[in-house]
Amino acid sequence: MNRLKQLFDKKDKDILSVYFTAGYPTLDATLKIAEELQNAGADFLEIGFPYSDPLADGPVIQKSSEVAIENGMTLKVLFEQLKSLREKIHIPVLLMGYANPMIQYGVKEFCKKAAEVGVDGVIVPDLPMYEYEELYKNDFIDNGLSNVFLVTPQTSEERIRKIDGLSHGFIYLLSSSSTTGKALNVSDEIGIYYQRVKDMKLNNPLIIGFGISDQKSFERANQYANGAIVGSAFVKTLADKDDYLAHIPAFVKGIKG
Amino acid sequence: MAHTNYRVTEKGYYGDFGGAYIPEMLYPNIEELRNNYLNIIAQPDFQAEFQSLLKDYVGRPSPLYLAKRLSEKYGATIFLKREDLNHTGAHKINNTVGQILLAEKLGKKRIIAETGAGQHGVATATVCALKGLECIIYMGEVDIERQAPNVARMKMMGATVIPATSGSKTLKDATNEAMRDWINNPVDTHYIIGSVVGPHPYPEMVSRFQSIISEETKKQLVEHTGSPSPDYVLACVGGGSNAMGMFYHFLDDEHVRLIAAEAAGLGVNSGHSAATSVLGKEGVLHGSRTILMQTEDGQVIEPYSISAGLDYPGIGPQHAHLHKTKRVEYVSITDAEAMDASLLLSQLEGIIPAIESAHALAQLEKMTFKGDEIVVICLSGRGDKDLNTFMKYFNL
Ligand SMILES: Cc1ncc(COP(=O)(O)O)c(C=O)c1O
């Protein structure tokens, strides 16, 4: 059984996922950061594979992608690094990135490799439902990979139901329509949107992402969803520090409380 | 008669190319546009205002000029479609007039756009001033420096010009920043894309607005020659909007040979080039599957051309399809060839072309004509914006 499903069967509240970019701040940091995050109490991980034109990302993750590419991170290198992923990491791991590097690698091959090294799912923000269904769905399903779709405050109920039907794993509920790293929107309107999606009683768990940066925003997200994802706030703590690994436990504790 | 296979499908594909590879955050915006633009464009009041603005504001129809001395030099009958005579100096205004009316009908209050050479930025700032709408133009830091007069124009018309400082700081990054802005402002903002690129329905919508170029050309050719069909039609390609507008009504007329000139920069294989159809591979950028200059790992490669309007690492998806089906022949023109052609047109005809357009003119050097063959070249813009480059290059 897929590790994501096992996780959600066991735990349905206060789940913390952390995003970081593979190959940042150094090329060989990927697995060390993953292990540190797991030890510090992250429930699952999203490892970003970098792209030169990450248009859904704000400055922090853009910058990390740029540095990772300069460091020599490619999908080939990443899969090489991930060969030993499951020696130490037992929590679910998703890959996150943009369509073009995946397409150049070959989607079938990408899915095969991802499954081989023990990746549980993939998030590709610019691969929308129609393109996924028409072109790639079978590659994901054949390899037991979850494809996780995003939902925004503007996504219609009909489309959310369709996304729920296509999803295996969880639904990525955006805190607002925004690029990554914007401060969390805390208006009543957003509460109403979270509640509206919660009330739809979807098959998949809900994880809230974008703008979660501290304990307060993590707790607020958990009022409505099964958990939340921290991205930019974590990537920012990795910048310009030689001992970035040492900061990880405190960071995770700061979010979970 | 119509070979509909060159046209877009309902889902936004041209053969293998096109689609809408966009994050969910943009889905409602794109969907709103896709569901409404055809209806809105077809409405009589839209058409009435659109046509009236094209005529009295843009200055259409643009002349189809028989370039006698150029014709003599090359031994053919050469017509120039004078998009350089449009208000603001290039073909870009045809599309921005159309899109601003569309944005107005959709109830949008805020307009964003990307620009490379600044021509599309100027055209967008112009129509925003015309309609009293807020205007934000994203432009690469490098291009802001290269195209200073156009930056001043945009500011003078009330637009805010925001430098794109990410990546290579040119057109590609300006496009990324504009898309990020749209993601962060999904409700009240319309994004006026300047070429036949981006997610469906942009490529098809922009080519529709630009198709006025070939529509007029056919009528004008009948007046000049008695036939609507020339032997050759030439245009330059950055993203490909002037070329799509120039080719549009000739696509199904298989006797007309269509040639698109790409910027080879310092040479196709010099590492400083924008010859996408030669150097590119199939991939996804800015919302559509197309042909793209990229590394093996799928990272986008920064293109180079002396003309800021042609240094885009991709081409529109319809061009990718026309390339793959060989309906259009894509050729590479170096900086030097384009600069020579600029000087030649200036001195033979008293017309200083945009360096972009000069790429199409330069192709004439590489062709041989039989007697009275008829050639139409899209003169997509005027060279005023390029004077600094000309001064430096020719030591004027
Ligand atoms: C005069 C002129 N021609 C051509 C272009 C290239 O655009 P497209 O390939 O979309 O026609 C530009 C872009 O700025 C331009 O200013």
Side-chain angles (χ1 to χ4, degrees):
Chain A
M1 195 171 40
N2 186 300
R3 285 177 203 84
L4 269 174
K5 177 129 186 23
Q6 283 175 10
L7 168 68
F8 292 119
D9 283 351
K10 218 166 51 206
K11 186 170 177 183
D12 66 355
K13 275 181 61 188
D14 300 333
I15 293 171
L16 172 67
S17 170
V18 180
Y19 167 94
F20 63 97
T21 306
Y24 176 84
T26 62
L27 185 62
D28 64 353
T30 318
L31 286 182
K32 290 188 241 169
I33 293 174
E35 194 183 347
E36 207 55 60
L37 281 168
Q38 167 179 275
N39 294 346
D43 294 295
F44 70 97
L45 304 175
E46 286 167 40
I47 302 181
F49 51 95
Y51 179 46
S52 53
D53 296 80
L55 54 85
D57 285 305
V60 172
I61 293 179
Q62 274 179 57
K63 182 75 196 164
S64 72
S65 301
E66 215 176 293
V67 172
I69 292 169
E70 276 166 25
N71 287 344
M73 182 47 70
T74 66
L75 270 176
K76 254 192 205 144
V77 170
L78 180 59
F79 281 129
E80 203 52 44
Q81 292 183 349
L82 293 183
K83 270 187 180 160
S84 55
L85 173 72
R86 290 302 172 192
E87 284 170 14
K88 291 198 176 127
I89 310 292
H90 50 264
I91 58 178
V93 170
L94 286 88
L95 295 184
M96 180 163 186
Y98 290 80
N100 197 50
M102 183 176 75
I103 289 170
Q104 296 314 313
Y105 192 86
V107 177
K108 203 184 263 316
E109 190 58 26
F110 173 91
C111 290
K112 222 179 94 200
K113 267 274 157 47
E116 237 171 65
V117 299
V119 163
D120 305 284
V122 180
I123 308 174
V124 186
D126 63 340
L127 184 64
M129 229 182 339
Y130 174 76
E131 270 68 22
Y132 173 70
E133 270 189 291
E134 285 299 301
L135 302 170
Y136 304 120
K137 195 172 127 191
N138 291 339
D139 296 328
F140 281 72
I141 290 176
D142 291 350
N143 289 291
L145 287 174
S146 304
N147 183 31
V148 173
F149 292 96
L150 311 183
V151 161
T152 83
Q154 274 79 37
T155 311
S156 69
E157 171 158 355
E158 187 193 353
R159 194 166 160 84
I160 296 175
R161 295 249 176 245
K162 198 156 177 234
I163 285 172
D164 191 38
L166 266 186
S167 298
H168 313 270
F170 63 91
I171 287 174
Y172 197 138
L173 207 56
L174 294 197
S175 60
S176 65
S177 183
S178 70
T179 47
T180 54
K182 279 259 158 94
L184 188 70
N185 191 329
V186 288
S187 69
D188 292 345
E189 222 173 287
I190 287 296
I192 292 166
Y193 144 72
Y194 289 153
Q195 193 62 44
R196 170 168 66 83
V197 180
K198 190 178 173 189
D199 289 345
M200 284 175 70
K201 307 236 175 304
L202 302 173
N203 298 320
N204 285 280
L206 299 175
I207 302 288
I208 291 177
F210 285 32
I212 311 291
S213 61
D214 52 20
Q215 191 181 350
K216 203 164 140 235
S217 47
F218 182 65
E219 273 174 4
R220 184 172 154 83
N222 276 301
Q223 286 169 16
Y224 303 95
N226 305 82
I229 297 168
V230 179
S232 295
F234 178 66
V235 173
K236 207 185 285 175
T237 65
L238 300 177
D240 308 322
K241 289 191 191 81
D242 292 332
D243 56 344
Y244 58 89
L245 290 174
H247 291 264
I248 292 176
F251 179 85
V252 172
K253 192 161 185 318
I255 300 281
K256 287 181 90 166
Chain B
M1 190 200 89
H3 294 258
T4 49
N5 54 338
Y6 299 130
R7 311 283 171 191
V8 76
T9 64
E10 204 209 323
K11 291 293 182 190
Y13 279 87
Y14 303 90
D16 297 334
F17 303 104
Y21 288 79
I22 42 161
E24 183 66 24
M25 296 82 104
L26 285 179
Y27 181 84
N29 308 47
I30 291 292
E31 196 59 2
E32 181 184 32
L33 204 57
R34 193 170 72 87
N35 288 336
N36 293 300
Y37 85 102
L38 286 174
N39 281 339
I40 292 177
I41 292 174
Q43 283 164 17
D45 62 332
F46 179 97
Q47 275 301 325
E49 190 174 2
F50 184 46
Q51 297 304 335
S52 139
L53 282 175
L54 285 181
K55 178 166 172 284
D56 299 325
Y57 191 70
V58 176
R60 304 206 70 91
S62 69
L64 185 71
Y65 166 67
L66 172 59
K68 283 220 187 68
R69 297 188 66 207
L70 198 67
S71 298
E72 253 166 51
K73 172 161 169 61
Y74 289 111
T77 304
I78 300 171
F79 291 97
L80 302 178
K81 182 60 174 160
R82 298 289 308 272
E83 295 302 304
D84 62 316
L85 293 180
N86 291 344
H87 179 44
T88 69
H91 69 291
K92 299 281 180 191
I93 189 91
N94 303 324
N95 168 49
T96 58
V97 166
Q99 284 202 47
I100 202 79
L101 298 181
L102 192 63
E104 213 178 22
K105 293 268 185 200
L106 290 170
K108 304 295 178 181
K109 302 282 177 259
R110 185 172 170 274
I111 301 295
I112 54 174
E114 85 296 338
T115 197
Q119 287 305 108
H120 175 60
V122 168
T124 303
T126 302
V127 296
C128 287
L130 184 72
K131 287 293 179 181
L133 291 177
E134 186 186 356
C135 180
I136 289 135
I137 306 289
Y138 289 90
M139 188 167 185
E141 220 169 34
V142 171
D143 291 335
I144 286 182
E145 218 167 282
R146 287 202 275 190
Q147 306 283 335
N150 273 344
V151 176
R153 278 194 183 112
M154 289 180 248
K155 287 185 176 165
M156 189 155 174
M157 289 184 287
T160 306
V161 180
I162 302 184
T165 56
S166 60
S168 56
K169 308 175 176 53
T170 61
L171 178 56
K172 168 176 86 80
D173 308 287
T175 309
N176 291 341
E177 290 308 331
M179 287 200 169
R180 288 185 184 118
D181 180 310
W182 209 20
I183 287 171
N184 288 311
N185 297 283
V187 181
D188 67 340
T189 298
H190 176 72
Y191 178 14
I192 301 190
I193 295 185
S195 192
V196 287
V197 302
H200 177 64
Y202 277 101
E204 130 72 20
M205 184 172 73
V206 175
S207 75
R208 206 176 267 265
F209 286 137
Q210 291 294 359
S211 71
I212 184 79
I213 301 174
S214 55
E215 191 182 319
E216 285 174 6
T217 300
K218 282 184 109 164
K219 284 189 205 137
Q220 292 165 322
L221 276 173
V222 172
E223 287 163 24
H224 280 283
T225 70
S227 159
S229 298
D231 295 290
Y232 293 97
V233 173
L234 275 65
C236 68
V237 176
S241 68
N242 86 90
M244 268 337 299
M246 187 73 250
F247 296 161
Y248 197 89
H249 292 280
F250 295 111
L251 283 178
D252 299 328
D253 187 348
E254 303 273 350
H255 300 295
V256 182
R257 278 169 282 182
L258 306 175
I259 301 177
E262 291 182 326
L266 303 182
V268 172
N269 296 312
S270 65
H272 301 276
S273 172
T276 307
S277 74
V278 185
L279 300 171
K281 279 187 307 179
E282 293 187 22
V284 171
L285 179 67
H286 296 148
S288 56
R289 181 186 278 266
T290 185
I291 299 176
L292 185 64
M293 290 168 51
Q294 55 184 316
T295 65
E296 204 185 310
D297 189 46
Q299 311 299 348
V300 179
I301 291 176
E302 191 49 41
Y304 161 82
S305 164
I306 194 167
S307 65
L310 299 186
D311 67 354
Y312 185 69
I315 48 177
Q318 192 171 13
H319 281 288
H321 181 55
L322 292 168
H323 173 63
K324 200 167 180 177
T325 57
K326 298 197 162 63
R327 174 64 187 100
V328 175
E329 185 190 346
Y330 290 79
V331 299
S332 310
I333 300 294
T334 63
D335 286 355
E337 290 166 337
M339 295 306 271
D340 286 350
S342 301
L343 198 59
L344 187 77
L345 190 74
S346 305
Q347 298 183 350
L348 282 185
E349 298 287 350
I351 298 170
I352 301 176
I355 302 175
E356 288 82 3
S357 318
H359 284 73
L361 293 162
Q363 175 60 16
L364 288 169
E365 280 289 334
K366 306 188 171 186
M367 298 170 72
T368 45
F369 298 100
K370 290 186 232 102
D372 49 3
E373 281 184 315
I374 294 170
V375 183
V376 178
I377 302 176
C378 186
L379 200 66
S380 57
R382 67 177 84 127
D384 303 26
K385 70 179 173 65
D386 297 316
L387 267 185
N388 269 331
T389 312
F390 288 139
M391 280 155 71
K392 262 191 229 145
Y393 191 88
F394 295 118
N395 229 341
L396 301 171

